[in-house]
């Protein structure tokens, strides 16, 4: 396929800073790969002089394959192409002499990071019930994304003071473990380039051209990296779209697009507006939604794929019916032959929404896969084996040691482990792992007498195994060492307990071994780094005919023939915590925009009038974002009652529903469902369904009263009204947002 004029302008742009604002489905990967091929084949740039970074291993692999297909593998040699994290890891291992780490440093995943935070909290005598490790780590991660060190961590509250102390100890513990977390890969590289002029000039001189994919998702650390690496040649080619920036919660800052324009002296700006994915009706709906946001550069998305079907809206009576409707519709579409299961995707705002969908798909026997569920590399047995390999590779890794020293059980109890750590602390320059190696010599060890005989013997036995593995790692391949460790610890017997689950777990271990075998000609460092940097999207299986269930955040970069977006209720999308935050509300709108533009042929938009959440029933209002979609682009109906062909009406709830005569079945991209478009209105306030209202009970809770709920925690009364013999209070909770509760069935403590 030839390049369109806008794509060709981007591919052949002259040297200097270039910013390509690429709409969804506009062929940005094609532009990036063609740009690399153009630089090498037409401009004479060598492969090793080019750096290209993206956000997933899958995208990096695809780009590399496309470049090699365009110009041949021999011309692409030396090209540094990968994720930000993998590129930084390569640089750091080469420049480790400038860092407080050894070259065999390991990368701690999210579980490992929680372990380190918990240890820091314990050492500092801080209550981990009051200061949740996950929350504390979130503050630390945000600080790192902004390149804020522990010393410079801002403190305006007591909580900030606590986080600052934990942050400082957390970093010390990482160094003690010869480990970095994911954020450190970026931060340490950025600081190295900032503070070491020689290293900065080395890489800035080497990379004549730098290309960045998904630029709107960069955080401050990544932006700083890019600035330093492009500081000599200034040839930086960034592709992004502020309308698709949806990762602020993990540090992404769409304002980097504006910073780029300022810092790189008014770069050439090119718009990619032709969409090769979606029908025009879908694009028109997406543009109607996103144009409500401010601080964006408008793009007029267009498609040559035809007008296509109108969007289909469905308002369910409750969340169970919402999920059932999705499953029924997927069955209708696939049984008609219009699409395969793998063409269908269901998207939602929060992971918690997946449960009812999963149950409906299971009942309907629809094959499906859940993106963001426990990953292969997150399974217990896989993490156990990886921890053994990490410890052998890096004896300073205390997190891995703590994970596996009692797996399988070998007579090393909690007391023995505590003594091991205590003795290591008292000895100078000795980690617990190094102490175990010392104990491998048995009674000859100078540390033997520090332990009771009951503790010394099993610790020494494990130390002997550990020392043997360390020695064997010098001569065995990765898969041979893998086999030796499993045999020595009896891991097969430990897992294969005669149950089907045990067999499945052993199969997972064997699958990991198959991967390890692929690295037999490479290093343990490369193997462990690859495992650590694999993301959810990298593990999506290809070719499986199964529907996909995923969050809207996880949907970035993907596309499907038929898309269902569920939970289009105010409080869910947009999320309730964004109601008073204009910037966060704009991000919610961008999230909806991303979901819409994943659809190629048909888009379903769903909501539920009633939802069961956190143990209570909530009446929901239609998402305000639905009002942005013009009526001429969307049709709606209520689903037939389960087991009948009768249309079900929700008028008894006081709700306005869409036209109930339109068909729900999508037959093909050329056939349009017959319908009469009904005017959509905002939902009316919900009241009693039938009959005379009961005498109202006098309110006992006043607006603004602070209360405490036994499950939801602290909240503030928004309003209160009598309801027969009871009182209904609307409360905004810090933990779960807005809830409506009956006073008669819940105990509320007034805080004053």
């Amino acid at each position: 396929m030839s390049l369109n004029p806008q794509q060709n302008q981007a591919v052949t742009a002259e040297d200097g800073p270039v910013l390509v604002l690429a709409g969804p489905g506009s062929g940005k990967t094609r532009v990036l790969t063609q740009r690399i091929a153009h630089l090498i084949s037409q401009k004479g740039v060598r492969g090793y002089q080019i750096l290209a970074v993206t956000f997933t291993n899958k995208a990096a692999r695809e780009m590399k394959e496309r470049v090699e297909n365009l110009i041949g593998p021999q011309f692409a040699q030396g090209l540094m192409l990968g994720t930000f994290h993998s590129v930084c890891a390569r640089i750091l291992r080469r420049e480790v002499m400038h860092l407080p780490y050894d070259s065999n440093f390991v990368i701690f995943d999210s579980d490992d990071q929680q372990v380190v935070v918990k240890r820091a909290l314990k050492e500092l005598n801080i209550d981990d019930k009051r200061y949740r490790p996950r929350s504390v780590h979130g503050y630390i991660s945000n600080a790192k994304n902004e390149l804020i060190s522990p010393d410079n961590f801002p403190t305006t509250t007591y909580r900030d003071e606590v986080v600052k102390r934990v942050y400082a100890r957390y970093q010390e513990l990482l160094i003690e473990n010869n480990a970095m977390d994911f954020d450190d890969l970026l931060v340490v590289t950025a600081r190295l380039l900032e503070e070491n002029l020689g290293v900065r000039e080395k890489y800035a001189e080497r990379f004549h051209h730098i290309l960045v994919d998904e630029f709107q998702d960069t955080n401050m650390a990544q932006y700083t990296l890019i600035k330093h690496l492009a500081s000599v040649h200034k040839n930086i080619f960034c592709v992004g779209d502020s309308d698709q920036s949806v990762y602020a919660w993990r540090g992404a800052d769409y304002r980097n697009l504006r910073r780029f324009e300022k810092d790189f002296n008014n770069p050439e700006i090119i718009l990619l507006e032709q969409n090769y994915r979606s029908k025009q009706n879908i694009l028109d709906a997406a543009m109607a939604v996103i144009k409500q946001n401010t601080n964006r550069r408008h793009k007029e998305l267009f498609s040559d794929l035809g007008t296509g079907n109108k969007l289909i809206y469905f308002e369910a009576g409750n969340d169970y019916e919402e999920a059932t409707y999705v499953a029924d519709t997927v069955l209708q579409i696939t049984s008609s032959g219009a699409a395969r299961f793998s063409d269908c995707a269901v998207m939602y705002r929060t992971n918690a929404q997946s449960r009812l969908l999963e149950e409906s798909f299971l009942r309907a026997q629809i094959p499906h896969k859940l993106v963001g569920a426990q990953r292969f590399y997150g399974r217990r047995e896989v993490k156990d084996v990886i921890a053994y390999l990490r410890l052998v590779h890096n004896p300073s890794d205390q997190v891995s040691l703590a994970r596996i020293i009692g797996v399988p059980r070998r007579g090393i109890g909690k007391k023995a482990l505590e003594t091991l750590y205590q003795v290591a602390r008292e000895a100078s320059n000795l980690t617990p792992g190094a102490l175990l190696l010392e104990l491998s010599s048995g009674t000859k060890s100078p540390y033997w007498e520090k332990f009771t005989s009951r503790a010394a013997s099993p610790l020494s036995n494990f130390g002997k195994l550990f020392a043997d593995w360390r020695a064997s790692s010098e001569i065995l391949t990765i898969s041979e060492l893998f086999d030796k460790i499993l045999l020595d610890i009896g891991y097969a017997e430990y897992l294969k307990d005669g149950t089907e689950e045990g067999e499945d777990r052993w199969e997972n271990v064997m699958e990991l071994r198959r991967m390890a075998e692929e690295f037999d000609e490479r290093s343990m460092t490369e193997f462990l780094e690859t495992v650590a940097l694999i993301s959810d999207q990298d593990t999506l299986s290809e070719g499986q005919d199964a529907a996909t269930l995923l969050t809207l955040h996880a949907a970035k970069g993907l596309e499907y023939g038929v898309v269902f977006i569920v939970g289009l209720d105010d409080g869910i999308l947009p999320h309730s915590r964004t109601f008073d935050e204009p910037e966060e509300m704009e991000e919610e709108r961008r999230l909806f925009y991303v979901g819409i533009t994943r659809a190629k042929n048909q888009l379903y938009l769903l909501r539920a009038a009633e939802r069961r959440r956190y143990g209570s029933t909530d009446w929901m209002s239609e998402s305000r974002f639905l009002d942005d979609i013009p009526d001429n682009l969307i049709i709606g109906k209520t689903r037939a009652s389960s087991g009948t062909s009768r249309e079900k009406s929700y008028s008894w709830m006081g709700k306005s529903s869409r036209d109930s005569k339109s068909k729900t079945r999508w037959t093909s991209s050329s056939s349009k469902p017959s319908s009469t478009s009904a005017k959509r209105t905002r939902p009316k306030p919900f009241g009693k369904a039938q009959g005379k209202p009961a005498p109202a009970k006098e309110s006992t809770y006043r607006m603004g009263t602070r209360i405490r709920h036994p499950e939801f925690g602290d909240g503030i009364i928004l309003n209160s009204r009598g309801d027969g013999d009871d009182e209904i209070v609307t409360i905004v909770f810090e933990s779960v947002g807005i809830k409506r509760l009956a006073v008669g069935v819940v105990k509320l403590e007034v805080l004053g």
Side-chain angles (χ1 to χ4, degrees), residues 566-701:
V566 301
L568 284 166
D569 306 302
D570 257 19
I572 295 180
L573 185 66
H575 199 282
S576 57
R577 64 171 171 258
T578 69
F579 285 175
D580 298 321
E581 299 292 338
E583 282 215 0
E584 292 183 23
M585 180 63 74
E586 290 207 348
E587 176 145 333
E588 294 290 292
R589 193 182 296 278
R590 292 195 294 270
L591 194 58
F592 185 32
Y593 171 81
V594 164
I596 292 172
T597 55
R598 300 309 96 194
K600 296 196 288 187
N601 300 311
Q602 184 67 66
L603 177 64
Y604 290 82
L605 305 176
L606 296 94
R607 68 168 300 263
E610 176 186 321
R611 290 187 186 276
R612 184 82 174 164
R613 299 194 300 166
Y614 311 111
S616 64
T617 298
D618 290 347
W619 296 102
M620 310 301 294
S621 298
E622 180 183 84
S623 171
R624 64 195 69 189
F625 295 159
L626 289 168
D627 287 345
D628 300 330
I629 301 175
D631 287 329
N632 66 318
L633 297 177
I634 191 166
I635 57 175
K637 69 179 290 292
T638 54
R639 186 175 64 82
S641 298
S642 180
T644 75
S645 60
R646 179 173 58 85
E647 295 297 332
K648 186 170 183 177
S649 170
Y650 298 110
S651 59
W652 60 271
M653 296 181 197
K655 303 293 291 180
S656 61
S657 65
R658 296 183 185 268
D659 179 19
S660 63
K661 296 179 181 178
S662 60
K663 296 180 181 178
T664 59
R665 183 168 174 176
W666 173 61
T667 51
S668 72
S669 59
S670 59
S671 64
K672 299 181 180 180
S674 61
S675 71
T676 8
S677 180
K679 179 68 178 175
R680 291 176 288 125
T681 61
R682 285 299 246 168
K684 298 174 184 176
F686 294 108
K688 283 288 184 183
Q690 298 173 349
K692 279 187 176 183
K697 177 182 172 68
E698 187 178 348
S699 298
T700 56
Y701 291 90

Side-chain angles (χ1 to χ4, degrees), residues 399-456:
V399 172
S400 291
L401 174 61
R403 180 182 184 90
I404 54 86
I405 197 164
V407 180
R409 291 187 179 181
R410 49 177 61 91
I412 301 175
K414 185 178 179 181
K415 183 79 171 173
L417 190 57
E418 288 176 353
T419 307
L420 180 73
Y421 277 80
Q422 181 182 338
V423 173
R425 279 195 300 270
E426 292 171 353
S428 58
N429 299 320
L430 203 61
T431 65
L435 178 54
L436 273 174
L437 293 173
E438 288 282 347
L439 289 171
S440 66
S441 58
T443 55
K444 296 178 182 178
S445 168
Y447 300 99
W448 181 268
E449 298 299 328
K450 301 280 187 181
F451 299 87
T452 64
S453 57
R454 184 176 178 181

Side-chain angles (χ1 to χ4, degrees), residues 146-393:
E146 294 295 321
L147 292 178
I148 298 172
S149 66
D151 290 341
N152 296 322
F153 189 85
T155 54
T156 56
T157 66
Y158 180 69
R159 171 174 282 274
D160 294 338
E161 293 283 357
V162 170
V163 172
K164 180 172 184 171
R165 290 164 56 207
V166 177
Y167 184 6
R169 183 58 186 145
Y170 174 80
Q171 285 305 114
E172 291 170 356
L173 288 170
L174 286 177
I175 293 173
E176 286 177 21
N177 280 267
N178 193 31
M180 295 189 197
D181 62 17
F182 292 122
D183 296 320
D184 281 336
L185 293 175
L186 306 174
V187 172
V188 174
T189 309
R191 286 185 179 152
L192 176 64
L193 297 176
E194 179 84 36
E195 297 167 5
N196 192 311
L197 182 61
V199 174
R200 186 199 317 165
E201 289 182 344
K202 172 181 174 181
Y203 289 95
E205 285 283 0
R206 170 183 167 177
F207 297 126
H208 288 218
H209 288 268
I210 297 171
L211 299 92
V212 185
D213 189 15
E214 303 286 8
F215 185 65
Q216 77 282 343
D217 291 335
T218 55
N219 58 34
M220 183 53 71
Q222 289 159 330
Y223 182 74
T224 302
L225 273 169
I226 294 163
K227 271 183 64 179
H228 287 320
L229 292 173
S231 59
V232 172
H233 299 288
K234 312 286 187 185
N235 296 324
I236 180 163
F237 185 92
C238 296
V239 180
D241 180 7
S242 61
D243 291 339
Q244 298 182 72
S245 179
V246 296
Y247 295 132
W249 52 276
R250 71 182 190 195
D253 191 345
Y254 72 93
R255 290 170 297 188
N256 284 342
L257 289 159
R258 294 205 297 270
R259 292 187 181 106
F260 180 87
E261 292 187 54
K262 180 182 176 182
D263 293 342
F264 285 92
N265 250 339
N266 297 317
E268 181 179 359
I269 297 176
I270 300 166
L271 302 182
L272 298 186
E273 297 172 301
Q274 183 169 357
N275 179 286
Y276 293 93
R277 173 190 300 151
S278 306
K279 300 297 176 65
Q280 191 63 48
N281 273 345
I282 293 171
L283 298 179
D284 289 345
M287 286 188 289
V289 168
I290 200 62
K291 74 179 182 181
Q292 307 301 324
N293 276 3
T294 57
N295 299 317
R296 57 177 294 272
R297 190 184 296 267
H298 181 68
K299 293 180 294 299
E300 199 64 38
L301 304 180
F302 67 94
S303 171
D304 290 339
L305 300 176
T307 303
N309 298 330
K310 292 185 178 183
L311 285 62
I312 296 177
Y313 171 88
F314 176 69
E315 181 182 274
N318 55 50
D319 42 5
Y320 290 91
E321 292 188 3
E322 179 187 56
T324 301
Y325 174 86
V326 173
D328 288 351
T329 308
V330 169
L331 284 177
Q332 289 174 0
I333 292 169
T334 52
S335 62
S336 73
R340 302 175 69 217
F341 289 120
S342 56
D343 294 324
C344 302
V346 189
M347 301 175 185
Y348 34 83
R349 176 62 178 82
T350 64
N351 275 307
Q353 293 172 259
S354 70
R355 183 181 66 83
L356 292 180
L357 291 162
E358 284 187 86
E359 290 175 1
S360 291
F361 275 48
L362 288 169
R363 282 196 301 271
Q365 298 184 326
I366 298 174
H368 61 280
K369 54 191 175 185
L370 191 65
V371 178
Q374 188 176 40
R375 301 186 296 127
F376 174 78
Y377 296 98
R379 291 169 183 157
R380 189 177 75 190
E381 59 276 10
V382 173
K383 288 179 71 68
D384 284 349
V385 178
I386 290 171
Y388 270 102
L389 294 172
R390 278 193 353 190
L391 181 64
V392 172
H393 183 62

Side-chain angles (χ1 to χ4, degrees), residues 539-567:
T539 60
L540 279 177
S541 55
E542 302 287 344
Q544 181 185 1
D545 188 22
T548 303
L549 309 181
L550 72 171
T551 65
L552 286 161
H553 283 103
K556 268 286 292 289
L558 303 176
E559 60 181 42
Y560 300 91
V562 185
V563 168
F564 299 80
I565 302 179
V566 301

Side-chain angles (χ1 to χ4, degrees), residues 57 60 80-91 185 529 533:
N57 293 296
M80 188 176 282
L81 195 162
T83 64
F84 273 98
H85 291 87
S86 65
V87 167
C88 286
R90 272 184 268 179
I91 291 174
L185 293 175
E529 192 170 288
L533 297 179

